[in-house]
Amino acid sequence: MATSESIAISQPKTETLDVPEWFKHCCADLSRVRTHDKSASGGRLVGMKAVVTNASRLWDNGQTLSISFVGPEIGTENQQNKVKEVLKLWQEHVNLNFNFVEDNDTSAIIRISFDPSRGSYSYIAKDLFLESETEPTMNLGYVWDIPAITEEERGNILHEFGHAIGFLHEIKNPRRNEKLKLREQGKLLPDHRPGIFNEQSVRYNILDVYNLQEVTNFSSLDLRSVMMFYMPAEWNEGNINVPPNNVLSEFDKAFALLNYPFTPDGDKADDVNAKLEAAFATLGIQDEFKKSILAEIIAHDWDGARAEFTRWCINEKALADKAKPEVDD
């Protein structure tokens, strides 16, 4: 079980690209749970749990995030342009602004490298501020110097920027066992080679679900989420093959919008309200929860909106737990 202060496990360096296929679709969840962090926002978010992260770790709604390509593996024009193009897909669903600044600008909030020996990783939202300003906060090891964007590259970029805006790994959803039971012994652990993902890293990044300090999506497991790992059927008892998810799922879009809602007034009011209605419908949020979330959004109380959305998430988890069949001792 994860502790209240999770240790970030960095993506190990591999001298060649001779790695298993599953490894190319995985990344290290470089997150730290800061339950007593004085920098965390207060008010109604204290102790609250957001959909796929701790609410206090999310960026302020409407915030501008500066982005720079840094280091010796700064990337080519093709690689950099792919990042800029794919990021537009998140931009449609989050009220955040992304500002690309000059290369090797170490004052940038998000600092990206393209080192193929380090796989893929990203720090989680405000955890970026915990790192040295001379180091990358994100690595895109499987984005290549060719003009066309492949499906795999799109999925890789979407996944890592999902982390950068505050989303965690869907595979570690506390409600995972309702749909997916992993085969720990005999298959999953032996399939991971020493030096690539050791047992500690496999447990942290795949096997262990988040505890209630870490939190993830409190709705049912979304197998189509871009934050879900690729998974061969033999890794789980239901023999469910989870293919690489290279586009945002409807749940991804809904969670992004409700955590980072656009202002529902002005010239784009009709469009924003239509997107909000679609998000509520996708997640099945109705009645008092829908009204309370909408009221906070209309009032531009973004922390309040997140807190009300979180209240719905916790309620859904409680209902799911209550519906579980009792097991005799």
Side-chain angles (χ1 to χ4, degrees):
M1 178 178 290
T3 64
S4 60
E5 181 69 21
S6 296
I7 299 174
I9 299 178
S10 299
Q11 194 74 303
K13 202 164 186 177
T14 56
E15 298 303 324
T16 72
L17 294 179
D18 181 23
V19 294
E21 181 62 22
W22 58 262
F23 181 77
K24 298 179 182 179
H25 303 283
C26 295
C27 76
D29 178 354
L30 304 187
S31 62
R32 291 180 175 87
V33 179
R34 296 168 290 147
T35 55
H36 303 294
D37 184 359
K38 294 180 181 179
S39 68
S41 60
R44 296 172 63 185
L45 294 184
V46 173
M48 298 293 285
K49 308 299 186 293
V51 184
V52 287
T53 186
N54 185 302
S56 65
R57 296 164 71 191
L58 293 173
W59 302 110
D60 293 337
N61 200 38
Q63 186 169 346
T64 295
L65 303 179
S66 54
I67 304 172
S68 179
F69 301 103
V70 301
E73 299 290 344
I74 201 169
T76 65
E77 184 177 1
N78 283 331
Q79 290 171 305
Q80 292 184 5
N81 284 341
K82 289 177 182 181
V83 172
K84 294 175 182 178
E85 190 63 28
V86 172
L87 185 53
K88 294 176 183 178
L89 300 175
W90 272 122
Q91 181 81 72
E92 295 179 18
H93 306 286
V94 292
N95 187 12
L96 291 169
N97 300 302
F98 300 101
N99 179 34
F100 287 89
V101 298
E102 292 183 0
D103 292 347
N104 283 315
D105 183 344
T106 57
S107 69
I109 294 174
I110 299 174
R111 301 181 296 279
I112 303 173
S113 63
F114 296 88
D115 186 345
S117 71
R118 291 191 177 274
S120 298
Y121 64 80
S122 176
Y123 283 86
I124 312 296
K126 289 183 179 179
D127 283 354
L128 296 172
F129 291 135
L130 301 177
E131 300 313 304
S132 166
E133 287 190 356
T134 64
E135 297 297 324
T137 62
M138 179 187 299
N139 191 70
L140 299 170
Y142 303 111
V143 175
W144 311 115
D145 183 19
I146 55 175
I149 301 172
T150 67
E151 289 189 6
E152 290 76 13
E153 288 174 320
R154 183 176 66 244
N156 185 197
I157 296 168
L158 286 173
H159 183 98
E160 299 311 333
F161 267 98
H163 285 319
I165 63 178
F167 293 172
L168 305 182
H169 282 146
E170 186 68 7
I171 186 62
K172 298 179 68 174
N173 187 326
R175 292 177 60 185
R176 181 180 68 199
N177 283 346
E178 294 173 19
K179 291 186 178 180
L180 203 65
K181 294 185 179 180
L182 301 187
R183 288 173 172 154
E184 177 176 338
Q185 299 298 331
K187 198 60 188 178
L188 185 53
L189 287 177
D191 198 22
H192 293 73
R193 307 177 190 177
I196 298 178
F197 257 22
N198 58 27
E199 179 173 344
Q200 181 189 20
S201 188
V202 172
R203 291 191 181 281
Y204 176 83
N205 285 288
I206 300 176
L207 289 172
D208 293 340
V209 298
Y210 294 116
N211 61 37
L212 295 186
Q213 279 77 43
E214 295 168 304
V215 305
T216 186
N217 177 358
F218 274 165
S219 72
S220 60
L221 182 71
D222 181 13
L223 294 175
R224 295 185 178 183
S225 172
V226 77
M227 304 309 295
M228 183 72 189
F229 277 164
Y230 155 76
M231 180 178 294
E234 59 267 25
W235 282 16
N236 63 84
E237 294 180 6
N239 293 313
I240 300 171
N241 180 58
V242 182
N245 295 322
N246 298 318
V247 297
L248 298 178
S249 73
E250 294 306 307
F251 271 39
D252 289 334
K253 297 173 186 177
F255 288 134
L257 182 64
L258 292 179
N259 275 301
Y260 293 102
F262 295 97
T263 302
D265 44 38
D267 295 339
K268 298 182 179 179
D270 290 343
D271 180 57
V272 171
N273 284 305
K275 286 183 177 180
L276 286 171
E277 284 296 327
F280 289 133
T282 294
L283 301 178
I285 304 175
Q286 298 298 330
D287 303 326
E288 66 164 301
F289 290 107
K290 178 180 176 180
K291 291 178 181 178
S292 62
I293 295 170
L294 271 177
E296 302 291 359
I297 292 175
I298 291 170
H300 295 190
D301 184 348
W302 310 125
D303 281 358
R306 287 174 179 171
E308 290 303 303
F309 183 32
T310 292
R311 193 166 66 90
W312 173 80
C313 296
I314 294 172
N315 184 68
E316 288 294 293
K317 184 177 186 297
L319 291 175
D321 289 345
K322 187 176 181 179
K324 289 179 182 178
E326 294 185 4
V327 180
D328 295 333
D329 294 333

